């Protein structure tokens, strides 16, 4: 978000500091189960002594789970690095009060992430019970609504299942599907498993 980036840079300017690097994991789920290259790069820079302050939009965007929190906090305490939140206070680990505040805000950030995840899960379950599909890429064999069949892809799946049961490998099925131009709902990607030679 450009406005978030602008406000973060303004926070840096107020400190008469300069930006060492801008790291982002915006396309990574907040569930905390996926690798976050931006977060890992930030920790590497802190460990190397390249940064004295980490500026982040909000704590729940910076840390996604307990493991992130512990790694970040221990490293910041060891290196004397402050975390400055555009939407929140400055966090530092050099005093008991600072550590207490960081721990409590970390707990609140995790609560927000977990509540959001729970809301999304329940919404998806309810949609499934009502025969509706919620977001995501188009499933192979279906239109974007996840209900309407794409005849050619649906037939490819039926033939693929029959071929698999007769001993054809998944790799061979995928090759045949790709050769027939059947691709995933994700632009630019070939299908892992697609139409069998007729």
């Amino acid at each position: 978000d450009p406005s978030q980036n602008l406000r973060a840079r303004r926070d840096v300017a107020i400190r008469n500091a300069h930006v060492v690097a801008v790291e982002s994991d915006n396309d990574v789920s907040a569930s905390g189960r996926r690798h976050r290259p931006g977060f890992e790069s930030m920790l590497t820079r802190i460990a190397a002594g390249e940064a004295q302050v980490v500026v982040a939009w909000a704590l729940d965007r910076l840390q996604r789970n307990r493991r992130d929190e512990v790694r970040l906090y221990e490293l910041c305490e060891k290196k004397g690095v402050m975390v400055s939140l555009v939407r929140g206070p400055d966090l530092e680990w050099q005093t008991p009060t600072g550590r207490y505040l960081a721990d409590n805000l970390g707990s609140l950030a995790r609560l927000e992430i977990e509540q959001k995840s729970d809301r999304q899960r329940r919404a998806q379950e309810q949609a499934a019970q009502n025969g509706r599909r919620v977001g995501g890429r188009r499933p192979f064999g279906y239109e974007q609504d996840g209900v309407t069949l794409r005849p050619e892809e649906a037939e490819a799946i039926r033939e693929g299942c029959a071929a698999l049961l007769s001993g054809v490998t998944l790799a061979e099925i995928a090759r045949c599907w790709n050769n027939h131009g059947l691709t995933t709902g994700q632009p630019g990607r070939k299908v892992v498993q697609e139409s069998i030679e007729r």
Side-chain angles (χ1 to χ4, degrees):
D1 185 332
S3 66
Q4 292 181 9
N5 190 29
L6 180 62
R7 290 176 65 180
R9 286 185 178 274
R10 189 167 58 201
D11 194 43
V12 172
I14 289 171
R15 298 176 182 280
N16 293 318
H18 71 278
V19 177
V20 174
V22 176
E23 306 291 359
S24 175
D25 290 313
N26 287 337
D27 58 342
V28 179
S29 166
S31 67
R33 297 185 182 92
R34 295 179 62 185
H35 178 69
R36 299 174 59 206
F39 183 79
E40 296 302 327
S41 177
M42 177 194 68
L43 293 184
T44 299
R45 291 179 186 281
I46 293 172
E50 296 177 15
Q52 286 73 50
V53 179
V54 172
V55 178
W57 177 249
L59 197 55
D60 62 351
R61 298 303 304 158
L62 179 59
Q63 60 189 46
R64 306 289 177 84
N65 54 41
R66 173 70 79 176
R67 182 170 178 268
D68 283 357
E69 179 183 313
V70 170
R71 293 168 68 209
L72 175 64
Y73 288 13
E74 287 183 348
L75 195 53
C76 285
E77 183 175 1
K78 178 180 177 182
K79 294 292 185 176
V81 169
M82 175 187 291
V83 172
S84 178
L85 303 173
V86 176
R87 293 184 62 194
D90 290 345
L91 304 178
E92 50 84 23
W93 286 263
Q94 307 314 307
T95 66
T97 302
R99 290 190 290 274
Y100 173 81
L101 180 60
D103 286 343
N104 278 273
L105 287 178
S107 296
L108 288 173
R110 283 197 316 280
L111 175 64
E112 175 60 28
I113 290 169
E114 290 171 6
Q115 285 181 328
K116 182 178 179 182
S117 177
D118 187 57
R119 286 193 299 269
Q120 289 174 336
R121 180 186 54 77
R122 284 187 280 112
Q124 289 171 346
E125 286 176 355
Q126 185 175 11
Q129 289 170 356
N130 294 332
R132 293 184 294 106
R133 178 172 171 272
V134 180
R137 70 185 65 163
R138 179 184 69 79
F140 184 73
Y142 294 90
E143 297 296 343
Q144 188 61 43
D145 62 8
V147 176
T148 307
L149 289 177
R150 282 197 171 191
E152 185 179 10
E153 291 181 1
E155 181 61 23
I157 292 171
R158 284 190 285 271
E159 292 177 356
C161 289
L164 184 64
L165 291 173
S166 71
V168 178
T169 66
L170 287 175
E172 188 175 342
I173 293 170
R175 259 193 309 277
C176 289
W177 287 3
N178 288 324
N179 289 341
H180 280 85
L182 296 169
T183 58
T184 67
Q186 191 173 10
R189 291 214 179 168
K190 292 188 174 180
V191 192
V192 177
Q193 306 159 354
E194 274 141 58
S195 171
I196 295 301
E197 293 280 359
R198 289 179 168 79

